[in-house]
Amino acid sequence: MLPSISSYSFLYTLFAWLLGFCYGFVLLSSAAGHNAGVRLFDVGSAVSYKLHSTLLFDENEESTKDVGFYIDADVVIEAVWENDEQRLLKIELKSPRLHIKSRKAPTPDGFIPHWSKLEELTNKPFLMVWKNGKIEKILLAKTEEVSMVNLKKGFASLLQIQLSEGTVDETDASGKCTATYTSQSSTKIVKTKSNCTSDDFYRVNNPHEFLRVNRNSFITVEYEADSSKTYLNSIVARENHVMYLPIKEDIACRVKSEQILSYVSSEKIRILEASTVEEAIESISKTEGLIFTQETLLTERESLDEETHSFTKQVDSLRGYLDAKDLGSLKPAKAFIKLVTTARRASKDDISKALSSKKNKGILLQLYDILGYAQTKDSHEAVMKSIHLDNENQIEVSERYLWATSFSSQPNPDIAENLLKQYKKLTNIPPKIQETLVLTLGSMAYKLGKLPDKKLHVKIIRDIEETILNNLDYAKGENKFVFFRALKNLHSPSTITVLLNYVTNGTQKEGVLAWKAIKAFGPDLWDERIQSAAVKAFFQLDRKYDSSSRTLAADILIESQPNDRLLEDILNFLIGTDPAYEVKQYANRKIGMLADEDNTIRARVQKIIRKNPKLNNYHGLAPRGLSLALTRRFMSNPYSNGSLVTVQEMKSGIAKRGTVDVVLDKHGFSKELFSLGIFSGGLHSFIASEETENTDEDEAATAGMELTVLETQIRPFVFFNGQGELMGHVWSGTASEMTPAFQVLLMLQDHLEHLRLGSGFIAELNVKGATSFDLSGKIEISLWNRNAQSLVQKSAGIATTGSISVDSKFVKSQAEFSTSIETKLDLQTDIDFYSNVHLCMRLTQPDALFRHNIFKVEKIPGSQHKLRISKYKKYAVPGTTYSINKKNNEMCSAIFS
């Protein structure tokens, strides 16, 4: 039975609806594609276009003066051969010319044409094998220079068009990208590129969450065909790349690129007679007299005649900036950035010459800081030629080199392997160097594990971990301590079981060091095993623990977002019978500190307190001890915050364990940048104590300082060990003068990236941030007057430089920023133990000035043209005296009244 007329109408309507629905999802395609009416690059046709390619550089702000250039050219695309869907396109880029930003231009942001070496570059036709929108081959004249080749690859990449809507992987002048195609109308398609990578380029980036350099990129290409769908009427490619510092996102540079291809005319041409594409290529090669080479669409870096600096000569020119007396100021930090860059390119002989020069004797320690960050084969071999780790007379220079090596965010696995061999091989390494060496190995292994290619370094990381664990197992007594610190630097989850064993079964000192290592792992690794051990230690459920183990366990429990039951147990502990009132006070202040920062925790704490009358009164939570935990903000901006976190565990009126941490915070995520820790023991005989419990093992009088820099703990500085040494310092006054305890040059940001731009240029993103750091202190003790005064002063000069630049044979443009600040932090402590113990702490930060400068520069090689735009900003950072707490204020009043 035949369908009725109404059935035909229904089928026709349904077909028309489906066709209309699907039409928006059909992209420009060949005759064999979804829409047979579309014919791009029909064989025997030549289409002429106008190309306009622009590149602009500026800071990441609107309405600013930028620098940059554009290139225009006439382009002819000839479809000279085809076989099925495969077509051979012959393309000519005619008369490319450079136009530059200039003050002579008609408008402030206008361009004028300018001579450049672009006009002198060899420029021949090139070929492209194109099939269904994909570029299968690109063939270029063998004699052309990289600048011209890249320009052509940038243009050729515009012609890569996917034939169906969706997401695909593509390789072109932007690198290896994810391309998403979306149909906007029957004649318009938009391609969005994302996740573009260039794995063939060397890349450096500090993985630290706040010290890395971020980049936001946005790339689109709009294709529009003419109404007859026989040629592309226009292609517009736009991309925007912003490089910025996460810690302060307005410190940034931006490069913008735009390619516009506009239709001019078309005509018919002769078709090549050839049976294969290879024959067609050979025919053109003979006709044009050219030798073609096949390449990918990936652009290549140019070998330019860069200005090179001898490391020795640059040290000579900057020697005056590296004096030890200037550490803590800006001068050494700025010199450090320049010298690290030069050292990474220097030869072994060049570096050795600088190290052996008598003129550099006074700055030798700073040179080892620099070379520790260079991390090249030549720099390490030059250092190992100059110093010997088993030489007792080279402890200071050896430690400075090892410190810098351990602080570096870009450890060289070959250097780590060499240092491990020396650690195993050398039998007479002085104890201080040996400890620093094993701490360095732990830190290098941890940071190798954070690099993008960490899978390549599994063996050396495993070897270092096994070495540390084996030595921990074989060492006796205090010789074990160094390996606990090394495990802290290693941050390896596989060592947690070993550390927990020492928490439970080790000596009290071993337990404290094990807890410090576990705490350094961070909340992400504090699993149920650690939580359970922390509960036992804090509440002393299975044995008596050192008070520092208990307070470290409290840190872990409280910072792990405890459930209501555990939080209630901790609060009830504060009103319990445990005589260790400083542990109670510590836990009390720790909860109070977090409640001040987190409204959710504050509400939970208040709910528990309100329902318990014993807690909900002044007597229950009245402060009795001197221990404290507090946070004070020192930096606040829309992008990140900085806090000083001070924790003091007191015993007998003296800080048994204390830290002042510099912590950065962004969107609820926090990270410690620097930690100054102090420790003491065996001093209760000097100051009367009301504490009734003494859980500490008998120990000699000792005190010292621990530093953790960029997640790396260094060897502790011991001020005295034993009562005899202590009394010697007291009577001689050797510590009463301001004395440097730790001086170093540190690299903060360390970023180098080469970014392929779709237009064919390659941008270099380079950021280096450094600090010149000095930690000095003094202490005066009077046994006659029974008082003591101390001052610990941190001074830092911090400098950062960053740029986005394009450097080619015919034009050089860049946007650059620099920032700088000199800052100090003073911690003064006064103790009066004549009758009752009074402790007064004052934490102050003097006024500072933050500078943020922006420079935009454009040059044309071979000409006198140079355009420079500068902007200078200054921001006053007012000084601050940080409030400690009410108890401290009362004791300060008692001392100074």
Side-chain angles (χ1 to χ4, degrees), residues 32-274:
H34 297 287
N35 190 343
V38 177
R39 288 287 302 179
L40 293 182
F41 307 126
D42 263 341
V43 68
S45 66
V47 186
S48 297
Y49 291 95
K50 191 73 176 178
L51 175 65
H52 188 107
S53 181
T54 306
L55 219 58
L56 298 174
F57 300 80
D58 63 1
E59 67 263 41
N60 191 27
E61 294 181 8
E62 300 301 327
S63 303
T64 58
K65 292 183 179 180
D66 50 30
V67 299
F69 57 88
Y70 79 78
I71 296 167
D72 65 359
D74 296 318
V75 181
V76 178
I77 304 174
E78 298 181 355
V80 296
W81 178 89
E82 79 167 346
N83 181 17
D84 293 330
E85 300 306 318
Q86 191 179 60
R87 293 178 189 141
L88 180 63
L89 306 181
K90 177 186 173 186
I91 304 172
E92 289 187 76
L93 198 66
K94 296 182 176 181
S95 305
R97 190 174 186 186
L98 181 71
H99 298 249
I100 60 168
K101 286 274 185 167
S102 173
R103 295 184 177 91
K104 298 178 182 178
T107 63
D109 294 325
F111 293 87
I112 61 171
H114 195 288
W115 173 89
S116 72
K117 292 182 179 180
L118 175 62
E119 299 174 27
E120 299 176 352
L121 296 178
T122 302
N123 180 17
K124 302 293 183 181
F126 66 99
L127 307 177
M128 199 164 69
V129 180
W130 189 91
K131 183 177 181 180
N132 290 336
K134 183 178 180 180
I135 298 172
E136 294 184 332
K137 295 180 183 178
I138 181 170
L139 301 105
L140 299 116
K142 192 174 182 179
T143 57
E144 292 185 338
E145 295 191 59
V146 176
S147 288
M148 181 59 72
V149 169
N150 284 348
L151 199 62
K152 291 178 177 178
K153 288 182 177 181
F155 167 76
S157 297
L158 293 175
L159 304 181
Q160 187 151 256
I161 313 169
Q162 186 63 33
L163 300 181
S164 58
E165 192 169 52
T167 299
V168 295
D169 293 330
E170 287 187 355
T171 298
D172 59 18
S174 297
K176 298 177 181 179
C177 306
T178 300
T180 301
Y181 288 84
T182 306
S183 177
Q184 300 290 313
S185 69
S186 62
T187 59
K188 186 175 181 180
I189 308 156
V190 175
K191 173 167 67 174
T192 303
K193 297 183 192 178
S194 60
N195 304 319
C196 293
T197 60
S198 296
D199 295 335
D200 54 326
F201 287 162
Y202 175 70
R203 187 174 187 270
V204 174
N205 192 17
N206 189 337
H208 192 285
E209 287 79 356
F210 290 96
L211 299 180
R212 64 161 54 113
V213 174
N214 287 349
R215 169 172 56 85
N216 287 337
S217 296
F218 182 73
I219 309 172
T220 62
V221 187
E222 297 178 359
Y223 298 93
E224 187 162 8
D226 75 305
S227 57
S228 64
K229 306 183 187 68
T230 56
Y231 59 83
L232 288 170
N233 192 50
S234 68
I235 303 176
V236 180
R238 296 186 180 92
E239 54 188 302
N240 186 58
H241 304 277
V242 179
M243 176 187 74
Y244 64 93
L245 305 187
I247 192 172
K248 201 172 187 301
E249 294 181 15
D250 57 337
I251 301 175
C253 289
R254 175 173 59 183
V255 58
K256 294 186 290 186
S257 175
E258 183 179 67
Q259 289 173 280
I260 300 176
L261 190 69
S262 304
Y263 172 81
V264 176
S265 63
S266 57
E267 60 180 335
K268 295 295 182 180
I269 59 169
R270 183 176 67 87
I271 301 173
L272 282 178
E273 298 293 334

